[in-house]
Amino acid sequence: MQDGFMLRVLVVDDEPALLELTRIFLERSGDLQVEVTPSPLQGLNMLAATPYDAIVADYEMPEMDGITFLREVRRRGMTTPFIIFSGRGREEVVIEAINNGADFYLQKNGNPSTQFAELRNMILQGVRRGQAEAEVQRSGDMYRSIFEHTGSATIIIEDDMTIILVNSEFTRFTGYSREEVEGKMPWTAFVVAEDLERLSGYHRQRRRDPGAAPGTYEFRMVDREGREREIHMTVGCIPGTDRTVASMIDTSGRKRFEEELRATQEQMVAAFEEAKASQESLEAQCREMEDYQATLRGIIDFLPDPTFVLDRAGTVTIWNRAIEQVTGVPRSRIIGSGARVVSGRVPGFCSPLLAEVVLSRKGESIAREIHIPSPNGGEGTYLWGKASPLYDAQGRLSGAIESLRDITERRRMEAQIRRRVDLERMVSSISGWFIALHPENLDEALDRAIRALGSFLDVDRSCIFRLSSNRTHAENTHEWCAEGIESQIARRQEVPIVSLSWGMAQIVAGRTICIPDIADLPAEAVAEREFLLEYGVRSVILVPVATAGEVLGVMGFETVAKERSWSGNDVALLTVVGNLLADLLVRIRAHERLQKNERRFRTLVERSHDCYIRATKLPPAIEYVSPSWERLTGYTREEFRDDPGLVERSVHPDDRETFRALMQEPGADRLYVFRALRKDGCYTWVEVCPIPVYADDGRLVAVDYAVHNINAWKQAEMALIEANRKLSLMNSIVRHDILNQVTVVLGHIALLQDRPLDAAVAAALEKQQAAVEIIRSQIEFTRDYQDLGARSPRWFPVEPLVSAAAQALRQTRIRIITDLNEVSVYADPLLSTVFYNLLENALRHGKTVTTVRVTAVSDGGGARIVWEDNGVGIPAEHKERIFERGFGSHTGLGLFLVQEILSITGMSIRETGTPGEGARFEILVPEGCARFE
């Protein structure tokens, strides 16, 4: 933008007084010429007739709003800087304006002088930005044009001789198109056979030593038609790359192009001089490569995994310390030997070695397990070997490296895990036997369970004892014995347990008794030791059969022939089986109580005002309909059962999507509201709550539907919504007009203050300005407060709302850091205003704020969202009052509104920062209103 150059600006606003005020303020600087119109349509005609340097438009206008006007300007291909200048400050409007191509967004508030100065600054920034983008485009076009129009055929060549870029002169020389050449053809395709070896030698020599290869030479080129041309070519390496640039001139008429050739040669000489300067750097890199290879050998030598390397001929070149320790073969006896020597000296290393196989397959990586026997006759060592190819700088196979990892401990763990999995499967099978078990089959199921467990655990005897109701005796009710083991069930009836106090105390406390050797029982367990020895028991594990703190019996596993121990996993899973047995006994008793409760609840449902329906899944059928169905719909229960499609046909057409969702989401935790046609032809509103019914195996077997008549409530709700809609529309229109007039008043006050005034008049103007500012903030607050609770709450991800607030305020001095764990909250749609106001509060009052951090953590089924900054913080005496309406140094409404929005869905906010160290706001989200994705 040149000095003294006048910029032409178009301003569009439906408020004439505000238009005149804008023109006066913008033209005061003398470098802007402002033209105004109250009509967006007239503004489009003015843009078509006259070029403007910038456009300023209001948002709310009768013919079309500012965003629609912006879209139409951009649709017509105009890139003129565009600024939305509006009293509507909602952040979603700001985001929509920026997304549709607006350069800036400025809200009509604050001091008019400051406000219009900021508007002028935005206009100048937009114009400068457009000029800079045009200059960048011109520069790019210029450099492309230089390559294209050098006057000689020019190409750029990759290290593998492929041509990656050509200009038009080269395509004219050869007769090939760019698409046929670039990235597809080598430059050797254009050289006659007699010159090919010479030029290929130059190419290879230039890669080894750029200074040794000639920079200019002649050759014969063959074009598409097979015609030969005498060509003088100048070649040079592009510094820092493997690429070469070549410039070619047809020397069939050498004298005519002599001057051009000399100029090209001078350019290439300069390029070669630059290449020579980099030679020393290349030599230093070679020395670094040698050091790197030595370092790499040292690294391999100290790797914790046994590792060796074969060269291309299969000779051992590296044998590290770890493999010396595993195999016992020192490197001095193996380096330089062939691979078969390794196989012969190291037990377990089968021929061919993995590295040999890699060499024979020309580079394919392979792996397998290797076992090295222990020289002491023990378990030995299990290794997992993997071999991979090694390549030289030219990409040729130069050898293979084989690494071994000790997996002996892992195999032990796998064996333990397999045993645990097998035991878990056994426990799962037993659990499956007990599902839906009829009381008559109880004894058979218990015998089957202790037989399966005894066989799996490899014990001699397994049994179940039940305690008497008064806990004075125990009875051996079930027993399994291994082959050759004598049964003891007949001898262990009515066993008195009063003397077995130590063991009974452990069982009552819910502890499993695990005794690998009966002799190891504590001194206070003398009675228990004598009891077990009486039956020849050497090792035993006793598991409580208990549930909800009530001990019902004991499950025991005994060995007679030898001692044995049990792992912690065995004990844990047997404890689960004990709980299953207890649950089985309790379930049978509960079955009888359930039948009694069912009769009582059926009476309650039959007499309820709401309607209850049960629909089974397999087979699909209506199992039950309560008598209130006829009162709700006018149809009898028989009509409903005989016509399965009656309900779906009765649903209002506009609500059938809701009804289909109800049918498809039986497990959803929500209510479904729709209209249903009664038999008398009238629609009634109903609210349906689906209650899924699952079998013991988790299958959905039926759905209970609780149907509640909400017709009267819905009619009142619709009347209230319509009244609120009309009231909101009237408030929006009045508020927009009032804010425009407030801006006009503030503008004229600012104009008067720029003139010399009597002190009393100046003081009066300041009071008037303060009063008008208060009026404006109160009117703007009514906009947000009016929308509070007007729309239904829903789920919102928090991260995009924080980003949108930062984008809407267009701030750059504060860094915003988030760690929100993808949390979403159930809140009023005005939740975005919460984060907008918190960020605005930090900008306005934080003074020294440079960073805002927003985090979220789970908190007792809900969440705690923390917003904290590093500003001056909030004085301790103000902490209890900052959420009060009217408190603060600005309008005193921002934090009050934040608290009101959050309270709609039960959320709360508190300030817990340290004065002088920054503000810290905690938003507490109640249980059920937060979820982490």
Side-chain angles (χ1 to χ4, degrees):
M1 189 166 55
Q2 300 174 354
D3 293 339
F5 184 76
M6 182 77 72
L7 297 179
R8 176 172 287 180
V9 181
L10 175 63
V11 180
V12 183
D13 196 307
D14 62 330
E15 182 58 53
L18 192 57
L19 275 177
E20 180 61 19
L21 190 65
T22 303
R23 185 186 62 77
I24 292 172
F25 269 96
L26 291 182
E27 289 188 343
R28 291 169 68 183
S29 60
D31 56 355
L32 300 180
Q33 178 184 342
V34 180
E35 297 180 15
V36 301
T37 176
S39 167
L41 295 178
Q42 184 181 356
L44 291 173
N45 293 333
M46 294 170 70
L47 288 168
T50 305
Y52 289 90
D53 296 295
I55 303 169
V56 178
D58 189 17
Y59 174 74
E60 293 185 356
M61 296 181 287
E63 293 177 344
M64 65 175 71
D65 62 39
I67 303 298
T68 306
F69 180 53
L70 168 61
R71 290 197 194 102
E72 182 60 26
V73 169
R74 295 295 185 240
R75 189 188 68 79
R76 296 186 180 190
M78 301 180 193
T79 60
T80 309
F82 198 108
I83 301 166
I84 297 291
F85 184 39
S86 173
R88 188 178 180 90
R90 190 72 54 76
E91 55 269 24
E92 60 264 25
V93 177
V94 179
I95 294 170
E96 184 180 10
I98 300 302
N99 290 342
N100 281 279
D103 293 85
F104 297 99
Y105 186 99
L106 181 60
Q107 188 175 353
K108 296 175 182 176
N109 59 21
N111 182 276
S113 297
T114 304
Q115 176 179 266
F116 286 110
E118 186 175 358
L119 176 60
R120 176 180 176 277
N121 184 50
M122 288 181 177
I123 293 171
L124 296 179
Q125 283 188 43
V127 173
R128 292 192 189 99
R129 183 189 300 169
Q131 292 173 342
E133 291 173 352
E135 182 62 29
V136 170
Q137 181 65 34
R138 284 195 296 271
S139 297
D141 294 342
M142 180 183 70
Y143 287 114
R144 284 191 292 272
S145 178
I146 290 172
F147 178 80
E148 185 66 28
H149 302 290
T150 57
S152 59
T154 305
I155 61 176
I156 295 178
I157 308 167
E158 284 283 11
D159 182 57
D160 62 357
M161 301 186 183
T162 303
I163 299 173
I164 62 168
L165 191 64
V166 303
N167 65 359
S168 300
E169 186 68 12
F170 182 82
T171 62
R172 187 183 68 79
F173 264 27
T174 63
Y176 289 91
S177 66
R178 294 177 188 268
E179 292 75 14
E180 292 175 303
V181 176
E182 291 180 345
K184 299 175 182 176
M185 297 179 67
W187 62 265
T188 54
F190 302 98
V191 181
V192 298
E194 293 80 3
D195 294 343
L196 184 58
E197 181 60 30
R198 176 170 59 90
L199 267 64
S200 297
Y202 291 161
H203 182 84
R204 291 191 295 272
Q205 189 177 12
R206 186 175 294 107
R207 264 54 186 170
R208 294 193 300 270
D209 183 2
T216 61
Y217 44 80
E218 296 181 351
F219 73 97
R220 286 168 293 169
M221 172 184 280
V222 182
D223 64 11
R224 190 185 192 110
E225 303 300 329
R227 295 188 296 268
E228 294 185 5
R229 293 173 181 263
E230 291 289 339
I231 298 297
H232 182 89
M233 181 161 72
T234 302
V235 184
C237 294
I238 300 176
T241 72
D242 292 332
R243 296 177 177 174
T244 306
V245 59
S247 178
M248 292 166 281
I249 298 176
D250 187 349
T251 59
S252 301
R254 180 184 298 272
K255 291 182 179 180
R256 185 159 51 89
F257 302 107
E258 185 175 356
E259 291 300 323
E260 297 178 20
L261 180 60
R262 183 180 296 109
T264 303
Q265 186 174 9
E266 290 175 355
Q267 293 175 4
M268 295 305 298
V269 168
F272 289 144
E273 289 299 326
E274 292 181 8
K276 288 179 180 179
S278 64
Q279 182 174 358
E280 292 183 2
S281 175
L282 180 60
E283 292 175 353
Q285 290 178 4
C286 290
R287 290 193 295 271
E288 284 185 20
M289 182 61 68
E290 293 173 355
D291 294 341
Y292 172 75
Q293 290 177 348
T295 302
L296 184 60
R297 286 178 176 271
I299 290 173
I300 294 176
D301 192 39
F302 285 96
L303 283 176
D305 291 337
T307 304
F308 66 91
V309 175
L310 301 181
D311 62 14
R312 187 184 301 125
T315 301
V316 179
T317 59
I318 296 178
W319 187 264
N320 77 349
R321 299 185 181 188
I323 200 168
E324 283 184 322
Q325 296 173 358
V326 170
T327 63
V329 178
R331 76 180 69 189
S332 59
R333 294 175 55 193
I334 207 74
I335 295 293
S337 302
R340 296 192 179 277
V341 175
V342 177
S343 303
R345 291 186 177 178
V346 182
F349 275 36
C350 302
S351 181
L353 300 175
L354 293 178
E356 287 185 275
V357 178
V358 168
L359 292 174
S360 65
R361 295 183 183 178
K362 305 300 183 184
E364 179 182 350
S365 295
I366 56 175
R368 72 182 176 203
E369 188 175 291
I370 300 170
H371 178 245
I372 299 179
S374 172
N376 301 323
E379 180 184 7
T381 302
Y382 289 92
L383 302 171
W384 179 254
K386 181 176 182 181
S388 301
L390 299 174
Y391 299 95
D392 60 17
Q394 286 72 40
R396 296 171 300 188
L397 184 67
S398 62
I401 182 170
E402 182 171 342
S403 293
L404 307 166
R405 178 155 293 178
D406 190 339
I407 60 169
T408 307
E409 184 61 28
R410 191 185 76 184
R411 285 176 61 91
R412 293 194 194 101
M413 293 179 63
E414 287 175 350
Q416 295 175 2
I417 291 172
R418 281 195 298 271
R419 175 177 173 80
R420 177 181 174 85
V421 170
D422 291 342
L423 184 55
E424 287 178 349
R425 288 175 179 166
M426 174 71 66
V427 173
S428 178
S429 298
I430 293 173
S431 176
W433 302 340
F434 292 165
I435 292 176
L437 180 66
H438 194 276
E440 294 178 358
N441 301 324
L442 173 61
D443 288 336
E444 180 184 351
L446 293 177
D447 286 335
R448 183 181 179 187
I450 63 171
R451 179 172 63 251
L453 287 169
S455 298
F456 180 83
L457 294 173
D458 191 25
V459 297
D460 298 325
R461 186 185 299 118
S462 57
C463 53
I464 296 176
F465 287 84
R466 287 190 187 176
L467 299 182
S468 61
S469 58
N470 58 5
R471 292 191 181 183
T472 59
H473 294 79
E475 179 183 0
N476 189 178
T477 57
H478 301 79
E479 182 190 65
W480 168 86
C481 296
E483 185 176 355
I485 301 301
E486 181 182 358
S487 172
Q488 301 292 339
I489 189 170
R491 299 176 57 195
R492 298 197 289 198
Q493 300 296 320
E494 296 294 324
V495 177
I497 61 175
V498 64
S499 61
L500 305 175
S501 58
W502 177 85
M504 191 61 187
Q506 306 299 313
I507 296 298
V508 170
R511 289 191 288 268
T512 297
I513 301 174
C514 184
I515 309 297
D517 185 354
I518 297 302
D520 294 335
L521 279 168
E524 58 268 29
V526 174
E528 285 79 4
R529 182 184 299 109
E530 293 177 354
F531 176 83
L532 294 171
L533 290 175
E534 180 182 353
Y535 301 106
V537 177
R538 300 183 64 178
S539 300
V540 67
I541 181 170
L542 300 173
V543 181
V545 177
T547 181
E550 180 184 2
V551 179
L552 305 177
V554 180
M555 180 171 57
F557 300 90
E558 305 167 351
T559 64
V560 176
K562 60 182 179 180
E563 297 173 357
R564 66 152 299 171
S565 59
W566 291 271
S567 68
N569 289 334
D570 292 344
V571 173
L573 290 173
L574 288 175
T575 302
V576 173
V577 176
N579 293 335
L580 289 175
L581 294 181
D583 291 341
L584 176 63
L585 299 177
V586 171
R587 191 171 74 237
I588 293 173
R589 289 188 298 182
H591 178 71
E592 298 174 352
R593 292 196 297 267
L594 181 63
Q595 290 179 326
K596 180 179 180 181
N597 289 336
E598 183 179 356
R599 289 190 296 270
R600 183 170 71 251
F601 283 113
R602 176 176 288 272
T603 301
L604 179 64
V605 170
E606 293 283 349
R607 297 183 181 182
S608 173
H609 180 75
D610 290 343
C611 179
Y612 294 91
I613 303 170
R614 168 165 286 197
T616 59
K617 289 296 182 181
L618 290 175
I622 302 300
E623 183 178 273
Y624 174 77
V625 181
S626 67
S628 55
W629 169 260
E630 186 170 354
R631 181 172 61 254
L632 178 67
T633 66
Y635 293 97
T636 65
R637 288 188 284 180
E638 290 71 22
E639 289 176 309
F640 178 38
R641 287 197 180 95
D642 295 341
D643 187 359
L646 174 62
V647 173
E648 186 169 4
R649 292 197 310 272
S650 301
V651 175
H652 193 284
D654 294 343
D655 299 336
R656 284 177 183 166
E657 192 66 31
T658 301
F659 180 78
R660 283 191 286 271
L662 169 65
M663 295 294 102
Q664 296 169 2
E665 304 171 353
D669 185 15
R670 55 172 288 196
L671 298 175
Y672 298 83
V673 177
F674 54 86
R675 287 160 287 183
L677 186 66
R678 288 173 46 85
K679 190 173 184 178
D680 59 11
C682 298
Y683 279 103
T684 186
W685 283 94
V686 295
E687 179 182 75
V688 181
C689 174
I691 307 168
V693 180
Y694 298 99
D696 290 342
D697 60 359
R699 290 180 299 106
L700 180 69
V701 295
V703 180
D704 290 339
Y705 298 97
V707 186
H708 181 59
N709 188 338
I710 60 169
N711 199 53
W713 174 75
K714 265 294 182 180
Q715 290 175 351
E717 180 189 42
M718 287 187 288
L720 181 60
I721 290 173
E722 179 63 18
N724 282 338
R725 187 190 67 80
K726 293 179 179 179
L727 182 60
S728 295
L729 178 61
M730 182 191 71
N731 287 344
S732 178
I733 295 171
V734 172
R735 183 168 49 250
H736 175 264
D737 293 342
I738 292 174
L739 284 175
N740 274 342
Q741 296 304 321
V742 165
T743 301
V744 171
V745 172
L746 287 172
H748 285 291
I749 289 174
L751 289 175
L752 289 173
Q753 289 175 332
D754 288 343
R755 300 178 181 180
L757 298 172
D758 179 80
V761 174
L765 284 175
E766 288 182 2
K767 293 179 180 179
Q768 289 180 8
Q769 183 179 12
V772 174
E773 290 282 3
I774 292 172
I775 291 171
R776 177 168 56 190
S777 65
Q778 290 173 340
I779 292 173
E780 289 176 344
F781 176 75
T782 62
R783 175 189 60 209
D784 292 331
Y785 204 78
Q786 169 187 297
D787 294 340
L788 199 60
R791 292 171 288 175
S792 298
R794 53 192 175 92
W795 288 98
F796 290 94
V798 175
E799 180 88 34
L801 299 182
V802 176
S803 300
Q807 185 178 6
L809 286 170
R810 300 182 66 83
Q811 61 81 28
T812 57
R813 70 180 180 85
I814 293 181
R815 180 187 178 203
I816 298 179
I817 302 172
T818 59
D819 183 12
L820 292 164
N821 296 319
E822 298 185 8
V823 66
S824 296
V825 298
Y826 186 70
D828 187 88
L830 283 177
L831 180 63
S832 58
T833 304
V834 169
F835 299 105
Y836 183 91
N837 280 333
L838 288 176
L839 182 55
E840 185 180 44
N841 188 73
L843 287 168
R844 189 181 301 276
H845 303 296
K847 296 182 181 179
T848 60
V849 174
T850 60
T851 302
V852 169
R853 182 181 298 274
V854 190
T855 58
V857 295
S858 179
D859 188 7
R864 186 169 72 255
I865 301 172
V866 180
W867 176 291
E868 51 191 338
D869 62 51
N870 61 349
V872 298
I874 297 172
E877 63 271 17
H878 293 166
K879 285 179 177 289
E880 299 298 325
R881 301 191 58 201
I882 57 174
F883 297 104
E884 295 179 6
R885 178 171 174 265
F887 180 79
S889 58
H890 189 51
T891 63
L893 298 174
L895 292 179
F896 170 73
L897 180 62
V898 166
Q899 181 175 254
E900 291 294 298
I901 293 171
L902 295 175
S903 67
I904 291 176
T905 51
M907 288 188 278
S908 61
I909 184 170
R910 62 191 181 190
E911 204 286 324
T912 60
T914 302
E917 297 181 7
R920 187 176 190 272
F921 293 93
E922 293 186 5
I923 298 174
L924 305 178
V925 184
E927 182 179 359
C929 291
R931 59 190 182 195
F932 292 84
E933 301 298 334

